Amino acid sequence: MGGKLGTIFARAGHEVVFSYARSEDKLKRLARQAKGKARAGTPREAAAKADAVLIAVHWSRMDDLLSQAGDLAGKVVLSCSLPMNADDTALVVAHTSSGAEELAKRIPGAHFVSAFNTVPSEVLFGVYAARDKANRPDLVYCGDDAIAKKLAARLIRDAGFEPVDAGPLRMVRYTEPFALLVAQLAYERKGGPEVAYRFQRYGKTNTRGKKKSGSGP
Ligand SMILES: NC(=O)c1ccc[n+]([C@@H]2O[C@H](COP(=O)([O-])OP(=O)(O)OC[C@H]3O[C@@H](n4cnc5c(N)ncnc54)[C@H](OP(=O)(O)O)[C@@H]3O)[C@@H](O)[C@H]2O)c1
């Protein structure tokens, strides 16, 4: 997720620092191939001057990642990480909390947003390539901080999705299980993993909240 989203953000004109992998060569290769203003760095270097930090690591790596990133207070922190068990078969936090809420508590002072967790990585380049076409797929995001959510919405739009504000961070209790549904459709059903989604509102308003002309009662 981090490699692909970083590449997309760099191609969309953002300055990107790729960090956290077992091989520095992989991070350097990602930065080279992104072809924008991108470089490799440590998590601490990536976070230091960033307007936004994306956390995209397995739940089991979170302690290590956070210790390497240093103090993230005051930063806009986006996370697409899902609270999965070791073999990626189940959520280890659910119902009464969510991975995002637990992670946010561990980063005091950060402006936290949960985003990009509800689509498979395989669809990201396709969505970005189709960003100028009509009917962009939706992408839900959640958070309690209005300024951080504004920045997240911009990044979601830059990646080719239509941002859908799903409300406060506690709504991630619903988006994380939804992400597993999308993964089931992507990886366990026919047709391949390039799956995204789009919500359609029926009635007096269309999906984008505009009044429909000639709509029914
Ligand atoms: N993949 C998806 O489609 C998807 C969709 C929605 C949400 N998510 C969530 O997003 C998060 C990231 O998923 P992902 O599939 O992108 O994970 P990933 O492919 O494992 O990538 C995570 C990063 O962590 C690094 N890493 C792993 N073990 C490490 C270690 N011991 N030391 C240093 N770096 C290490 C990886 O580098 P290496 O190259 O060294 O492995 C990679 O750069 C997860 O929480 C997942 O649940 C994933």
Side-chain angles (χ1 to χ4, degrees), residues 1 20-22 26 56-57 61 80-82 117 119-121 187:
M1 290 295 284
Y20 201 71
R22 280 162 286 203
K26 173 188 143 179
V57 302
R61 303 307 312 163
C80 70
S81 300
L82 294 166
N117 55 344
V119 286
S121 64
Y187 301 120

Side-chain angles (χ1 to χ4, degrees), residues 27 29 31 33 35 66 73 75 77 112 139 145 156 162 190 208:
L27 299 173
R29 178 173 44 79
Q33 290 175 351
K35 290 191 179 124
L66 292 179
K75 297 278 172 200
V77 176
F112 191 91
L139 192 92
D145 183 302
I156 291 168
E162 187 63 30
K190 284 185 189 156
R208 308 304 164 204

Side-chain angles (χ1 to χ4, degrees), residues 22-199:
R22 280 162 286 203
S23 134
E24 204 191 334
D25 283 350
K26 173 188 143 179
L27 299 173
K28 286 184 174 163
R29 178 173 44 79
L30 277 169
R32 253 193 332 272
Q33 290 175 351
K35 290 191 179 124
K37 282 183 271 176
R39 63 185 175 87
T42 64
R44 201 174 289 269
E45 286 164 352
K49 291 183 186 158
D51 295 322
V53 174
L54 173 71
I55 297 183
V57 302
H58 193 271
W59 200 242
S60 58
R61 303 307 312 163
M62 212 53 87
D63 288 346
D64 186 46
L65 183 271
L66 292 179
S67 72
Q68 290 195 39
D71 186 7
L72 296 175
K75 297 278 172 200
V76 172
V77 176
L78 277 65
S79 173
C80 70
S81 300
L82 294 166
M84 303 304 294
N85 61 1
D87 60 4
D88 282 324
T89 53
L91 294 167
V92 295
V93 186
H95 302 300
T96 53
S97 186
S98 60
E101 286 166 283
E102 296 309 308
L103 183 54
K105 281 186 217 158
R106 299 188 58 190
I107 317 176
H111 307 290
F112 191 91
V113 181
S114 170
F116 294 108
N117 55 344
T118 54
V119 286
S121 64
E122 288 85 351
V123 83
L124 294 172
F125 285 145
V127 169
Y128 182 67
R131 65 194 177 282
D132 293 329
K133 297 193 178 135
N135 295 342
R136 286 172 161 225
D138 287 333
L139 192 92
V140 291
Y141 66 108
C142 303
D144 296 329
D145 183 302
I147 292 169
K149 284 175 91 170
K150 202 170 167 193
L151 200 156
R154 179 178 167 202
L155 290 171
I156 291 168
R157 214 169 267 121
D158 285 350
F161 293 89
E162 187 63 30
V164 175
D165 184 348
L169 199 59
R170 65 185 156 76
M171 287 298 133
V172 183
R173 294 171 198 187
Y174 308 128
T175 63
E176 286 177 349
F178 173 65
L180 269 62
L181 168 69
V182 177
Q184 166 74 11
L185 298 175
Y187 301 120
E188 305 298 334
R189 307 288 298 184
K190 284 185 189 156
E194 295 84 2
V195 174
Y197 55 87
R198 191 174 147 83
F199 297 108

